[in-house]
Amino acid sequence: MRPITVIGNWKMNGSKAACRQWIDTVCAEMEKGMPAGRRFALCPPYPYLSDCSQQISACSSASLALGAQDVSAEMGGAFTGEVSAAMLHEFDCKYVLVGHSERRDRFNESDRLIAEKALQALDQGLTPVICVGETADERNSGRAVEVVRAQVARQIAILQDRLVDSLLAYEPVWAIGTGKVASAQIAQDMHREIRLQLAEFNADVASHIGILYGGSVKFDNAVELFGMPDIDGGLIGGASLDPQEFLAICRA
Ligand code: PEP
């Protein structure tokens, strides 16, 4: 049985005060108890990691973990502006997003670079959350499966068996931040497709890896999405900024 994982991605939003208030609220609720077999994480912007890490470690519920929104593909050295996986590990990050569509599109990240980032994360014991997904044009021209399969194939080729220690996140680009959530059936169909593709490579990896859905998830659609057999939780953008909405999704 794969656990349900719910991860909040704040993107370049929030403030130090907003992080404090959010963690106060979420930890207080989590200390009262959360459904078993679920894992939760917050990925705030880099500058807030230190503060969030201290606050989360003081929370008596072990349910909430910390994650980062990106990581360098390099181990260290002269790479101005980059943050290494070892640095994230120092701040108790358990997860790191790689290959978010905003980074693929706005920062020209290739599948190879994304896999190299995932390898750096794995080397430091972090779980990379590898994002894949098609654009609206690609879906409308009937190429959604082909595009996602190609993205997943590159990760399989480079990460091989180490994929089992990662999470995948299917995030259709047309659903991110648009309010146009994929129907539970559309999401399930793509998750199934990804799992079948992984099974062609390694049945063990396919049955163990968590595949999250991301794209306009809110409490009112999370119940149906998380109820699908191949959907193992969600990557939540906008809705994660509100602690009560995030908690409601975590319980969905
Ligand atoms: C995301 O940025 O990963 C995301 C899923 O955003 P939203 O939930 O706002 O669509």
Side-chain angles (χ1 to χ4, degrees), residues 7 9-11 97 100-102 131 171-172 175-179 213-218 235-240:
I7 301 180
N9 170 20
W10 272 24
K11 313 192 188 199
L97 311 183
H100 190 284
S101 64
E102 287 151 16
C131 304
E171 296 208 301
I176 296 181
T178 59
Y213 167 80
S216 296
V217 175
K218 299 203 167 37
L235 181 52
I236 322 295
S240 72

Side-chain angles (χ1 to χ4, degrees), residues 189-200:
D189 289 348
M190 187 62 87
H191 283 231
R192 184 89 203 125
E193 195 64 45
I194 294 171
R195 213 175 289 287
L196 289 173
Q197 181 183 6
L198 292 167
E200 290 161 16

Side-chain angles (χ1 to χ4, degrees), residues 14-149:
S15 63
K16 194 166 156 180
C19 283
R20 284 206 176 149
Q21 207 177 9
W22 190 97
I23 296 175
D24 269 350
T25 309
V26 169
C27 278
E29 278 307 304
M30 289 191 173
E31 281 168 353
K32 293 180 196 160
M34 293 300 284
R38 297 194 171 207
R39 314 181 293 194
F40 315 108
L42 170 68
C43 298
Y46 283 144
Y48 307 137
L49 286 174
S50 168
D51 230 42
C52 290
S53 168
Q54 285 179 34
Q55 233 187 321
I56 288 175
S57 65
C59 176
S60 69
S61 159
S63 300
L64 186 65
L66 191 60
Q69 298 175 16
D70 191 23
V71 65
S72 178
E74 304 294 336
M75 208 185 297
F79 299 99
T80 303
E82 290 283 88
V83 173
S84 73
M87 294 168 183
L88 297 179
H89 179 70
E90 272 193 280
F91 288 99
D92 286 329
C93 285
K94 301 280 183 279
Y95 300 90
V96 62
L97 311 183
V98 294
H100 190 284
S101 64
E102 287 151 16
R103 297 211 62 87
R104 287 177 185 265
D105 180 45
R106 307 282 286 274
F107 301 95
N108 264 323
E109 292 198 358
S110 66
D111 287 307
R112 165 162 285 281
L113 179 76
I114 291 159
E116 284 167 357
K117 290 181 173 200
L119 284 173
Q120 283 296 326
L122 288 163
D123 284 348
Q124 293 298 326
L126 275 73
T127 301
V129 183
I130 304 166
C131 304
V132 296
E134 81 286 358
T135 62
D137 280 353
E138 289 161 346
R139 175 158 287 270
N140 294 337
S141 58
R143 294 175 50 236
V145 169
E146 176 197 329
V147 167
V148 171
R149 278 188 78 99

